[in-house]
Amino acid sequence: MGAQVQTTQRNNNDWRIVNGLEAGAVISAVENQSAHLAALARYCFGPFTKDELSGDRETVEIALYQQMIHNGVKLPGQGKGKPTVQQLETLRYLCMAALYHHSEVTWPYSRPGLHSPKAVKKWFNEYLGAEIEVRFWTRGDRVAWGDVWKSILLILDYWERLALSPISKLLNKAA
């Protein structure tokens, strides 16, 4: 009986060691990425609460905002001039809302997120105390906030793919 207990404990410890090594490889794969990709991976998929990750959330929001500016996004009502402070603030808030939405709809959560312009408007009002006009969310004749929203979500999807790629390679090795 004593030999059986020792063998079981040794096998159990072997699996703990393997699990620890695999977890360390995943952590390393996440941490060896650029700051915004590592923050996105932790924020959307890490074993933390959203409150614990406020710094990561801000890192991704700022990177999103900067990426949109760098891409030369045209904002609703901007015309040929530079965007106004109010338009830029709305863009910043839209980046925040898009990250919230993305983190809600990704696996394993699969929650509804901000599934409609009215949901985005409600989120703006409740969480930011701000307003966004969604009456003309999409328009064929000019830039609308719906177009900007889609662009932000495409960036998040691309960044998610980049962030999870090194981790998926680890899964293929382990399988």
Side-chain angles (χ1 to χ4, degrees), residues 73-161:
V73 65
K74 293 291 181 191
L75 302 177
Q78 180 179 341
K80 294 183 182 190
K82 292 185 177 189
T84 65
V85 171
Q86 184 179 2
Q87 290 165 328
L88 290 172
E89 184 176 78
T90 301
L91 173 62
R92 185 170 62 91
Y93 289 166
L94 205 57
C95 289
M96 294 167 71
L99 178 59
Y100 170 82
H101 169 76
H102 187 81
S103 70
E104 288 289 300
V105 300
T106 55
W107 183 87
Y109 307 108
S110 301
R111 297 176 185 137
L114 304 175
H115 59 281
S116 69
K118 287 183 181 180
V120 172
K121 181 178 181 146
K122 182 178 178 184
W123 189 89
F124 260 63
N125 193 310
E126 289 178 2
Y127 292 95
L128 302 172
E131 293 290 328
I132 184 170
E133 179 55 57
V134 297
R135 189 169 40 129
F136 301 113
W137 187 250
T138 56
R139 294 193 58 158
D141 60 337
R142 63 176 97 163
V143 176
W145 287 115
D147 300 323
V148 177
W149 177 257
K150 287 178 189 173
S151 296
I152 297 169
L153 292 180
L154 286 173
I155 290 170
L156 282 169
D157 285 341
Y158 176 68
W159 286 357
E160 179 183 313
R161 189 170 69 241

Side-chain angles (χ1 to χ4, degrees), residues 30 33-46 50 53 55-61 63-64 98-100 102-103 106 152-164 167:
V30 169
Q33 299 183 60
S34 59
H36 70 286
L37 294 179
L40 180 66
R42 284 189 302 269
Y43 188 73
C44 289
F45 303 102
K50 301 287 189 207
L53 295 169
D56 284 334
R57 186 194 73 243
E58 289 176 7
T59 297
V60 178
E61 290 168 355
L64 260 177
L99 178 59
Y100 170 82
H102 187 81
S103 70
T106 55
I152 297 169
L153 292 180
L154 286 173
I155 290 170
L156 282 169
D157 285 341
Y158 176 68
W159 286 357
E160 179 183 313
R161 189 170 69 241
L162 291 177
L164 295 180
I167 297 163

